């Protein structure tokens, strides 16, 4: 018999909410006046979140779900998420969506040329903002009055927002859902894994740079994935060398002092999906909100991105059939 879910909380909890699992639940000063106060104080919220089943139903129209993670900030994770989506969407028969759950630093709207766009409500939920007919995006950045607004939220409010994105957005029929997460292993990561736990997540792509200071945190990220039973599709080494456009000589801007991602992947038995070289045009394209692929289709970075995209597609299609994952 399935475990009975506890009573549902009213969205959205107050900003200073101590959380339903805290001893202060329903008792803290922040709880005064909250419609959930009596429910939290009674400890009747124990049990699976009923939203998990609602999200499972909603996600039935999404074939593949890929999380993009990074241990360290500034390694190009959101840039990779955006270009993975662009690469997949080049096949016009594919429907691709990007969900930006980097609540405090939503950069996907800027990278994808959607800054200033707003979310519209329909009878079937929130409508994603579309870059192309087959590429939709949802981000907390669309809910801010200005891109300079700071999002100062504690964990419970972030979790409530992620739950809303997964449950209330009208994704429609989607082949690939790319989830761009913040750096590290925090509330957002736990929430997205928990809420998608019943929906067959294909796995995670972890982005790093070659130097040991970044790899140190990637090892933690891989350990996190193993603890929460999230498959690791592979690692992408970003900013991997720089080829001078004039003399064609290659330089290591971030020297791989401990062997880079390749040595780490070998030691941890994790696939290395590929290495993306530094290219100033990538940063320029992101600032302009354009796809790097369309601007410089034959650059080494573009070719590397395409190869990595094909490897991820092969993983999703053949290597790990959905029915074998996340039983």
């Amino acid at each position: 018999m399935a475990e009975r879910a506890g009573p549902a909380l009213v969205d959205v909890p107050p900003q200073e909410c101590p959380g339903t699992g805290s001893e202060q639940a329903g008792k803290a000063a922040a709880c005064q006046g909250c419609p959930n106060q009596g429910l939290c104080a009674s400890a009747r919220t124990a049990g699976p979140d009923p939203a998990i089943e609602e999200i499972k139903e909603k996600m039935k129209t999404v074939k593949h779900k890929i999380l993009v993670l990074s241990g360290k900030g500034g390694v190009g994770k959101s840039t990779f998420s955006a270009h993975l989506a662009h690469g997949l969407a080049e096949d016009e028969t594919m429907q691709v969506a990007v969900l930006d759950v980097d609540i405090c630093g939503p950069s996907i709207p800027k990278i994808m040329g959607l800054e200033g766009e707003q979310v519209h409500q329909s009878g079937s939920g929130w409508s994603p903002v579309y870059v192309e007919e087959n590429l939709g995006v949802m981000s907390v950045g669309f809910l801010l009055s200005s891109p300079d607004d700071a999002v100062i939220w504690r964990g419970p409010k972030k979790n409530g927002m992620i739950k809303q994105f997964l449950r209330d957005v009208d994704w429609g029929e989607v082949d690939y859902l790319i989830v761009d997460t913040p750096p590290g292993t925090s509330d957002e990561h736990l929430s997205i894994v928990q809420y998608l736990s019943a929906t067959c997540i294909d796995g995670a792509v972890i982005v790093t740079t070659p130097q040991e200071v970044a790899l140190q945190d990637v090892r933690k990220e891989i350990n996190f994935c193993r603890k929460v039973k999230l498959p690791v599709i592979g690692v992408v080494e970003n900013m991997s060398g720089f080829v001078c456009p004039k003399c064609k000589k290659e330089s290591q801007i971030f020297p791989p002092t401990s062997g880079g991602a390749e040595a780490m992947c070998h030691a941890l038995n994790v696939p290395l999906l590929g290495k993306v070289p530094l290219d100033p045009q990538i940063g320029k394209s992101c600032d302009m909100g354009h796809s790097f692929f369309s601007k410089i289709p034959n650059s080494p970075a573009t070719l590397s991105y395409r190869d990595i995209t094909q490897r991820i597609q092969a993983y999703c299609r053949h290597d790990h059939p959905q029915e074998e994952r996340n039983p």
Side-chain angles (χ1 to χ4, degrees):
M1 182 181 295
E3 188 177 356
R4 188 176 177 181
L9 295 176
V10 179
D11 282 337
V12 172
Q15 186 165 317
E16 303 297 323
C17 173
T20 58
S22 168
E23 291 182 1
Q24 291 299 308
K27 304 171 188 175
C31 302
Q32 301 300 317
C34 175
N36 298 318
Q37 184 177 8
L39 185 59
C40 292
S42 70
R44 288 187 295 127
T45 55
D49 189 330
I52 293 175
E53 280 302 313
E54 297 169 1
I55 291 167
K56 179 183 178 181
E57 189 65 27
K58 191 79 171 184
M59 289 287 130
K60 282 183 177 178
T61 59
V62 179
K63 291 181 184 176
H64 300 291
K65 304 158 201 74
I66 299 168
L67 273 57
V68 180
L69 312 175
S70 73
K72 183 72 70 181
V75 298
K77 170 188 51 58
S78 295
T79 299
F80 177 81
S81 296
H83 283 86
L84 174 60
H86 279 301
L88 292 167
E90 284 185 331
D91 181 348
E92 294 180 359
T93 66
M94 292 285 180
Q95 288 293 325
V96 182
V98 179
L99 173 58
D100 181 5
V101 297
D102 193 343
I103 304 297
C104 295
S107 52
I108 287 292
K110 176 71 173 178
I111 293 173
M112 304 199 80
L114 299 173
E115 206 168 41
E117 296 287 344
Q118 294 183 335
V119 173
H120 298 284
Q121 184 90 27
S122 68
S124 52
W126 288 352
S127 298
V129 178
Y130 284 87
V131 183
E132 306 284 350
E133 286 187 7
N134 66 331
L135 177 53
V137 178
M138 180 56 68
S139 169
V140 73
F142 299 141
L143 307 178
L144 305 177
S145 57
S146 163
D148 296 332
D149 285 351
V151 179
I152 309 171
W153 291 355
R154 290 188 185 272
K157 195 163 185 181
K158 291 180 183 179
N159 298 347
M161 186 81 265
I162 292 170
K163 183 195 300 185
Q164 240 179 321
F165 280 152
L166 294 171
R167 184 186 60 195
D168 298 341
V169 173
D170 182 19
W171 295 108
E173 296 285 340
V174 171
D175 293 289
Y176 289 94
L177 174 64
I178 312 300
V179 182
D180 185 50
T181 67
T185 53
S186 54
D187 291 304
E188 293 92 332
H189 306 83
L190 291 170
S191 294
I192 199 77
V193 171
Q194 177 193 2
Y195 291 138
L196 291 177
S197 60
T199 69
C200 294
I201 307 174
D202 287 80
V205 175
I206 303 175
V207 181
T208 186
T209 46
Q211 73 274 34
E212 177 58 26
V213 72
L215 296 171
Q216 213 171 32
D217 288 339
V218 169
R219 294 186 188 96
K220 298 182 181 74
E221 200 80 35
I222 292 170
N223 190 32
F224 164 81
C225 291
R226 288 172 173 168
K227 284 184 176 180
V228 299
K229 296 180 171 56
L230 175 63
V232 176
I233 298 173
V235 173
V236 173
E237 185 177 87
N238 203 18
M239 309 183 199
S240 181
F242 169 71
V243 179
C244 176
K246 292 185 178 180
C247 70
K248 305 302 179 185
K249 183 179 178 180
E250 182 173 355
S251 304
Q252 295 296 328
I253 307 299
F254 301 106
T257 54
S258 60
E262 190 169 359
M264 181 200 68
C265 288
H266 179 74
L268 297 178
N269 194 28
V270 172
L272 176 65
L273 294 172
K275 301 180 180 182
V276 180
L278 268 169
D279 190 322
Q281 293 298 324
I282 296 178
K284 186 176 179 180
S285 293
C286 289
D287 282 350
M288 299 296 292
H290 299 149
S291 167
F292 176 70
F293 299 155
S294 60
K295 294 295 178 184
I296 311 177
N298 297 315
S299 77
T302 298
L303 298 177
S304 180
Y305 265 120
R306 292 195 194 285
D307 183 60
I308 291 167
T309 301
Q310 289 171 4
R311 288 171 183 260
I312 292 170
Q313 284 181 292
Y315 175 98
C316 293
R317 282 197 305 257
H318 306 302
D319 296 349
H320 294 266
Q322 276 197 349
E323 61 269 17
E324 294 181 7
R325 296 190 305 276
N326 298 339

